[in-house]
């Protein structure tokens, strides 16, 4: 055995969800690149509670281990080159709380693998386990009740409301159902109802207990007064987050839940009430065994991105997230900069032809009318995003890199909303003011060619016999048309003998007739393209140019030899 040793790669396979009070089997896999002497393989299962405080000196954290179980699946010996598997049995007591990671309180469970190598640094790995504890005892107030914003009841001209819930028992991913009755609608200017779900994290210290309220979800409910004497009734049907944790009370930390309902009223104090609710476990589903990622390590980014794609509906491939919406594509990818790790999001779409740009923190375009139509479709979806650049075919955004799934999912979902808005807005764009009088002629041209017309830029796109046809109108910054281009892309490369540049003064004639509006023609390896004077007096000239270029391209394909 050589003096230099190579530590093994450590993996752990365990159930995705572990119920407290039930015995499980975990599998430790060691991949040894070479024979390795080992003193022992130790697997330790640990339950730990942590709490965090904030002071003038910053954020401080303390922790305490409340459960520890150790097993040795392998004692002194030599591991040969290759893969070695060890099964270990473990069980967490039924009384332990659920896994939870909050802002001030944390309950964590880990499996720590320690491979002791004689006269060499040990191989260590730490894996996070998701443990589901028992439901906490039900509070005495889970029966259906009516809650009021003032004990003395409604007063004339004063805001007042009552709240009732169909059940105080909630489950992750379920719904909060109930109703809110508003009094004094005529006298009080109710604007909206705001419901907030709070996680109450309690930390008990030497000087007593401190409760921290952490907002988990918030809903804004519109109010539509009916003008009747009776209070308006606003129904509640609120979808809860799927990652709610069951409450617990354990040693120095505790978690409970509150639902706050507040009536937002102009020019007065907003009445509010806080209702205790009880979160119970969802019905357990089928358990799936998978390889648990280490709590830290180089694989975490890929696992985070893959999980973010699964949650947001994006495809993860080649290190990037991708999703297509109609003819618009959304792409997110990590980027390393001198300032650290960033996430870049790009939205690629069909050329809008508006002269789009980003200046002074707002969208800009050539014509105000077209910009207003696009902004109307976008709404406020761009708010809160850091914009890098914008043009007629692309929008680029970025954000600081994050090793957590949640922020990446929200960023991806935000870009998906923008892509949907662009697809809707493209169909609502008005024609350019300088060519609006030709709109009917362009529609007739699109019908004759079997093409799709993009009204906002007077562009056409179609496909004939494998040839892709694109017609684009380019504009000057003043809004006046500069030229119209017609391109026919061949299904295969055009032979070198056919490639050339032609204009009306050329001595070498073409084998096809072109309209007089054509001022130049270029035949390249990929396409046959013509440029027309703008504005085009007769839109039918565009149709004739397309047909002539298609005739040329088809001839080029027939004249190809047997060799490339």
């Amino acid at each position: 055995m050589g003096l230099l040793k190579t530590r093994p790669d450590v993996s752990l396979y365990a159930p995705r969800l572990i119920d407290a009070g039930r015995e499980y089997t975990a599998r430790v896999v060691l991949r040894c690149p070479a024979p390795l002497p080992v003193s022992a393989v130790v697997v330790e299962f640990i339950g730990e509670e942590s709490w965090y405080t904030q002071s003038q000196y910053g954020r401080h954290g303390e922790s305490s281990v409340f459960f520890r179980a150790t097993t040795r699946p392998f004692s002194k010996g030599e591991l040969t080159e290759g893969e070695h598997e060890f099964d270990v049995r473990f069980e967490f007591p039924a009384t332990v709380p659920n896994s939870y990671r909050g802002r001030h309180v944390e309950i964590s469970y880990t499996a720590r693998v320690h491979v002791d190598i004689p006269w060499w640094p040990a191989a260590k790995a730490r894996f996070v386990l998701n443990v589901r504890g028992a439901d906490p005892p039900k509070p005495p107030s889970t029966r259906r009740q009516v809650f009021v914003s003032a004990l003395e009841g409604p007063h004339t001209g004063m805001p007042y409301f009552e709240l009732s819930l169909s059940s105080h028992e909630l489950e992750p991913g379920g719904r909060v159902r109930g109703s809110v009755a508003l009094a004094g609608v005529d006298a009080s200017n109710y604007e909206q109802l705001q419901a907030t779900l709070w996680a109450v994290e309690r930390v008990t210290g030497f000087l007593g207990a401190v409760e921290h309220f952490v907002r988990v979800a918030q809903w804004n409910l519109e109010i539509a007064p009916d003008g009747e004497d009776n209070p308006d009734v606003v129904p509640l049907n609120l979808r809860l987050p799927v990652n709610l944790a069951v409450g617990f009370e354990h040693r120095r930390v505790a978690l409970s839940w509150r639902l706050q309902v507040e009536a937002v009223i102009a020019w007065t104090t907003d009445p509010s009430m806080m209702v205790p609710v009880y979160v119970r476990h969802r019905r357990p589903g089928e358990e799936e065994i998978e390889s648990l990622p280490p709590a830290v390590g180089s694989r975490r980014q890929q696992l985070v991105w893959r999980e973010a794609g699964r949650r947001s509906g994006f495809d993860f491939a080649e290190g990037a997230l991708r999703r297509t919406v109609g003819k618009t594509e959304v792409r997110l990818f990590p980027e390393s900069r001198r300032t650290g790790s960033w996430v870049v999001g790009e939205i690629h779409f069909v050329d809008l032809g508006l002269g789009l740009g980003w200046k002074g923190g707002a969208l800009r375009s050539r014509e105000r009318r077209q910009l207003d139509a696009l902004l109307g479709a976008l709404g406020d979806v761009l708010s809160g995003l850091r914009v890098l650049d914008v043009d007629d075919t692309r929008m680029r955004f970025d954000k600081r890199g994050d090793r957590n799934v949640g922020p990446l999912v929200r960023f991806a979902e935000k870009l998906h909303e923008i892509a949907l808005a662009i697809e809707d807005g493209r169909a609502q764009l008005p024609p350019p003011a300088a060519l609006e009088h030709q709109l009917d002629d362009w529609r007739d041209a699109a019908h004759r060619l079997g093409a799709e017309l993009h009204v906002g830029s007077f562009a056409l796109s179609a496909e004939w016999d494998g040839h892709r046809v694109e017609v684009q109108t380019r504009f000057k910054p003043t809004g006046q048309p500069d030229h119209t281009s017609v391109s026919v892309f061949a299904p295969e490369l055009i032979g070198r003998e056919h490639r050339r540049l032609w204009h009306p003064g050329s001595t070498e004639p073409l084998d096809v007739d072109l309209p007089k509006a054509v001022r130049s023609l270029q035949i390249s390896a990929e396409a046959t393209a013509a440029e027309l004077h703008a504005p085009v007096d007769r839109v039918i000239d565009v149709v004739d140019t397309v047909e002539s270029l298609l005739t040329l391209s088809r001839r080029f394909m027939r004249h190809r030899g047997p060799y490339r």
Side-chain angles (χ1 to χ4, degrees):
M1 182 66 62
L3 294 177
L4 298 179
K5 303 179 181 67
T6 303
R7 290 180 292 180
D9 179 56
V10 182
S11 299
L12 177 75
Y13 293 84
R16 178 194 296 269
L17 181 63
I18 298 169
D19 285 319
R22 180 178 171 186
E23 190 177 42
Y24 290 89
T25 299
R27 177 166 296 173
V28 178
V29 179
L30 303 180
R31 298 176 179 88
C32 300
L36 182 70
V38 173
S39 299
V41 176
V42 180
V43 183
E44 197 173 28
F45 296 93
I46 295 177
E48 189 174 16
E49 65 177 17
S50 304
W51 55 95
Y52 303 91
T53 57
Q54 191 75 28
S55 70
Q56 60 181 336
Y57 301 107
R59 180 178 169 90
H60 309 278
E62 298 182 61
S63 62
S64 173
V65 174
F66 59 83
F67 176 81
R68 187 189 302 268
T70 304
T71 181
R72 293 190 173 214
F74 182 81
S75 296
K76 187 174 182 180
E78 181 177 310
L79 297 179
T80 60
E81 179 181 352
E83 191 172 284
H84 302 268
E85 298 180 355
F86 306 97
D87 289 341
V88 292
R89 307 285 293 178
F90 70 96
E91 178 182 352
F92 290 103
T95 56
V96 300
N98 299 270
S99 295
Y100 177 72
R101 183 173 185 179
R103 189 174 300 174
H104 305 277
V105 169
E106 182 175 345
I107 300 290
S108 61
Y109 296 90
T110 56
R112 304 178 184 181
V113 182
H114 183 103
V115 182
D116 190 13
I117 305 171
W119 303 98
W120 200 256
K124 300 178 182 180
R126 180 175 178 270
F127 303 89
V128 177
L129 303 175
N130 185 22
V131 175
R132 178 170 57 187
D135 281 333
K138 294 183 180 180
S141 62
T142 57
R143 67 184 187 277
R144 289 190 292 180
Q145 296 174 320
V146 175
F147 297 85
V148 298
S149 60
L151 292 176
E152 60 272 16
H155 287 260
T156 303
M158 297 296 294
Y160 170 86
F161 71 94
E162 297 180 352
L163 166 69
S164 64
L165 299 177
S166 60
S167 175
H168 290 254
E169 294 186 10
L170 311 178
E171 70 173 27
R175 289 186 178 274
V176 178
R177 290 183 172 87
S179 59
V180 176
L182 302 174
V185 173
D186 295 335
S188 301
N189 186 16
Y190 289 95
E191 295 181 349
Q192 65 177 1
L193 284 178
Q194 191 173 80
T196 307
L197 182 65
W198 297 93
V200 184
E201 300 175 351
R202 190 178 78 231
V203 179
T204 302
F206 296 108
L207 300 179
V210 178
E211 289 186 340
H212 304 276
F213 284 73
V214 180
R215 184 169 56 192
V216 174
Q218 189 173 71
W219 305 267
N220 294 324
L221 307 175
E222 296 299 327
I223 299 175
D226 55 9
E228 298 180 359
D229 295 334
N230 295 329
D232 287 336
V233 177
V234 180
L236 296 181
N237 189 12
L238 312 176
R239 172 69 71 180
L240 293 169
V242 298
N243 58 344
L244 291 186
V246 172
F248 56 84
E249 188 166 351
H250 187 265
R251 295 190 175 185
R252 296 190 61 179
V253 297
L255 172 68
S256 58
W257 294 94
R258 302 287 187 274
L259 178 66
Q260 180 186 17
V261 179
E262 182 178 22
V264 180
I265 305 174
W267 307 108
T268 188
T269 303
D270 299 335
S272 174
M273 66 176 68
M274 190 85 73
V275 178
V277 290
Y278 166 74
V279 178
R280 63 175 176 83
H281 282 306
R282 299 186 66 181
R283 296 179 179 85
E286 296 183 6
E287 294 177 353
E288 179 180 351
I289 304 297
E290 68 172 5
S291 178
L292 296 177
V296 292
S298 59
R299 294 183 181 178
R300 176 160 176 77
Q301 180 176 353
Q302 182 179 6
L303 293 171
V304 166
W305 279 69
R306 192 180 301 278
E307 176 64 14
R310 186 189 67 80
R311 295 188 189 180
S312 59
F314 279 66
D315 295 325
F316 179 72
E318 299 179 357
L321 295 176
R322 290 182 173 84
R323 186 169 183 178
T324 301
V325 180
K327 295 184 177 180
T328 301
E329 183 188 29
V330 184
R331 180 171 175 261
L332 288 81
F333 56 91
E335 185 173 274
S336 179
R337 302 177 183 171
R338 295 180 61 184
T339 54
S341 177
W342 291 76
V343 178
V344 178
E346 295 182 347
I347 304 176
H348 297 266
F349 39 84
V350 175
D351 193 340
L352 298 178
L354 306 181
L356 276 183
W358 184 265
K359 186 177 180 181
L363 276 177
R364 298 287 187 264
S365 77
R366 191 173 49 249
E367 294 188 17
R368 184 67 201 181
R369 185 179 63 157
Q370 292 184 321
L371 178 61
D372 289 341
L374 182 60
L375 291 175
L378 289 173
D380 60 351
V381 293
L382 295 180
S383 63
L385 291 177
R386 189 177 128 105
V387 181
L388 292 180
D389 59 74
V390 177
D391 59 32
D392 280 331
T393 61
R394 185 183 70 172
M395 289 184 176
R396 296 183 73 241
F397 310 86
D398 70 354
K399 67 180 293 293
R400 281 283 186 181
D402 201 303
R403 298 182 67 85
N404 294 319
V405 177
L408 186 57
V409 170
R410 291 191 288 271
F411 189 43
E413 290 175 344
K414 189 76 170 179
L415 298 191
H416 179 246
E417 291 181 22
I418 298 174
L420 290 172
I422 290 175
E423 281 290 301
D424 293 338
R426 187 161 53 89
Q428 302 171 14
L429 291 175
L435 298 178
E436 188 172 5
H437 63 284
Q438 292 185 341
L439 179 58
D440 291 337
D441 295 335
W442 278 93
R443 284 174 173 162
D444 291 340
H447 179 71
R448 287 192 56 177
L449 294 173
E452 179 182 1
L453 172 63
H454 304 284
V455 176
S457 60
F458 277 176
L460 300 174
S461 58
E463 188 167 338
W464 282 10
D465 301 332
H467 293 75
R468 181 164 55 90
V469 178
E470 290 186 1
V471 178
Q472 294 181 324
T473 303
R474 299 302 183 186
F475 294 85
K476 300 176 182 178
T478 59
Q480 295 300 314
D482 183 63
H483 67 272
T484 299
S485 62
V486 178
S487 301
V488 175
F489 295 87
E492 300 180 29
L493 292 179
I494 299 174
R496 187 180 300 272
E497 67 277 11
H498 302 299
R499 303 173 196 172
R500 57 175 164 148
L501 178 64
W502 177 92
H503 56 83
S506 299
T507 57
E508 187 176 357
L510 291 172
D511 295 335
V512 67
D513 293 331
L514 293 174
K516 293 182 180 180
V518 177
R519 64 186 187 187
S520 67
L521 182 143
Q522 183 174 9
I523 304 170
S524 64
E526 295 84 12
T528 305
E531 189 173 293
L532 285 70
H533 295 283
V536 178
D537 294 332
R538 300 168 63 248
V539 181
I540 192 65
D541 288 342
V542 175
V543 178
D544 294 340
T545 302
V546 171
E547 294 175 346
S548 298
L549 298 192
L550 278 169
T551 300
L552 274 177
S553 186
R554 287 166 178 157
R555 288 177 185 174
F556 299 154
M557 295 300 98
R558 288 198 300 268
H559 292 166
R560 290 179 57 86
Y563 304 103
R564 293 184 181 271

